[in-house]
Amino acid sequence: MNTTYAELHCHSNYSFQEGASSVEELLVRAGELGYRALALTDHDNLCGAMHFAQVARSLDVRAITGAEVTLKDGSHLTLLAETWRGYRNLCNILSYSHIAGDRRNPGLDPRYLPELAEGLILLTGCRKGPVSSLLAEGQRQKAEETLAQYLEWFGRANVFVELQQNLVQGDTQRNRRLIELARKLGVAVVATNNVHYHVPERHRLQDALVAIRHNQSLEETHPERRPSGQFYLK
């Protein structure tokens, strides 16, 4: 099967106690699906970036290096390195986020983003992204101002409104609001699936990892676990 789709929001087991598939499993599955490229965007780290690039090269899949960065308010942004300068800036962003927080709870102050935006592509993030969260709270003006700020910092060509449909209640309404905002500001949109495992059956392991991370039972971590089993490569 040939496809022009490339997954740009994907977590491996380098998203510690969160990602439920290895780099090899993700890349082999991507090849089976006909992907020409795959991004690795682990939570707040680049620990798997070199391994990912090496395995991707051996499988003739283009590796895109990125990370899902946690901001100090707990919201998430997806950043992809477009150039070597972007990779260096992404490394600095992650260093700042860990200095400001700690190993388990990094948090980036957004004031660092303008000076480190060169060479990076910004996706507005999952349902915990700043723009998505503001729209969900009914703060449309603030969401518009936030997106406009990203355009100023990263440039219009390097900012994309991220849409995700994981068959979770609220996904369709959120995507409609995001598309309306993107059209209003003339921003391109991109579809991602916030992948945390390579095949749907692996969602059970992902649930267990979340429970381990919180040191609680599966029942107790129900609110923290993924709300569906749809977070896989499609």
Side-chain angles (χ1 to χ4, degrees):
M1 184 174 98
N2 292 320
T3 177
T4 56
Y5 180 76
E7 181 57 65
L8 299 179
H9 190 143
C10 180
H11 302 277
S12 73
N13 53 11
Y14 286 102
S15 286
F16 304 110
Q17 296 179 335
E18 182 74 20
S21 294
S22 68
V23 162
E24 288 86 355
E25 288 172 324
L26 290 164
L27 284 165
V28 168
R29 182 58 181 154
E32 292 172 349
L33 292 171
Y35 286 20
R36 300 176 186 175
L38 179 67
L40 187 67
T41 57
D42 281 313
H43 287 290
D44 300 301
N45 77 76
L46 292 169
C47 297
M50 185 61 70
H51 182 199
F52 179 71
Q54 291 171 341
V55 177
R57 187 179 300 114
S58 72
L59 296 174
D60 198 28
V61 176
R62 181 185 175 188
I64 301 172
T65 301
E68 185 173 22
V69 178
T70 303
L71 303 181
K72 67 178 185 178
D73 64 358
S75 60
H76 298 166
L77 284 176
T78 312
L79 297 176
L80 306 175
E82 183 180 27
T83 64
W84 279 107
R85 180 64 178 271
Y87 177 79
R88 186 175 71 178
N89 283 336
L90 182 56
C91 290
N92 286 330
I93 284 172
L94 293 172
S95 295
Y96 286 144
S97 69
H98 282 275
I99 290 171
D102 57 51
R103 183 178 66 87
R104 294 185 63 87
N105 298 291
L108 179 74
D109 189 328
R111 68 187 175 91
Y112 291 113
L113 288 175
E115 63 187 80
L116 297 171
E118 184 179 349
L120 288 173
I121 293 172
L122 180 145
L123 313 185
T124 55
C126 60
R127 57 182 49 80
K128 291 184 178 180
V131 174
S132 294
S133 298
L134 288 167
L135 287 175
E137 295 166 1
Q139 300 187 56
R140 297 197 177 192
Q141 183 61 37
K142 181 64 175 177
E144 182 176 336
E145 292 171 358
T146 300
L147 182 55
Q149 190 74 81
Y150 295 153
L151 293 173
E152 180 181 338
W153 293 346
F154 289 82
R156 185 170 298 276
N158 281 35
V159 174
F160 295 83
V161 170
E162 190 170 356
L163 308 177
Q164 296 178 351
Q165 174 56 269
N166 300 109
L167 305 183
V168 176
Q169 184 176 6
D171 280 357
T172 300
Q173 185 179 34
R174 183 185 68 255
N175 286 335
R176 285 173 177 165
R177 291 173 177 172
L178 286 168
I179 290 170
E180 288 175 3
L181 180 58
R183 286 174 175 168
K184 182 176 182 180
L185 295 187
V187 182
V189 300
V190 62
T192 74
N193 203 50
N194 196 9
V195 169
H196 281 71
Y197 34 89
H198 70 297
V199 290
E201 295 78 13
R202 197 60 68 87
H203 83 273
R204 300 181 189 278
L205 174 58
Q206 208 270 331
D207 287 346
L209 290 171
V210 173
I212 291 169
R213 177 157 55 90
H214 290 275
N215 195 28
Q216 294 178 323
S217 69
L218 285 169
E219 290 76 14
E220 290 172 323
T221 54
H222 180 74
E224 287 80 21
R225 291 178 1 228
R226 297 285 147 190
S228 78
Q230 297 292 316
F231 294 81
Y232 62 93
L233 283 175
K234 297 182 177 180

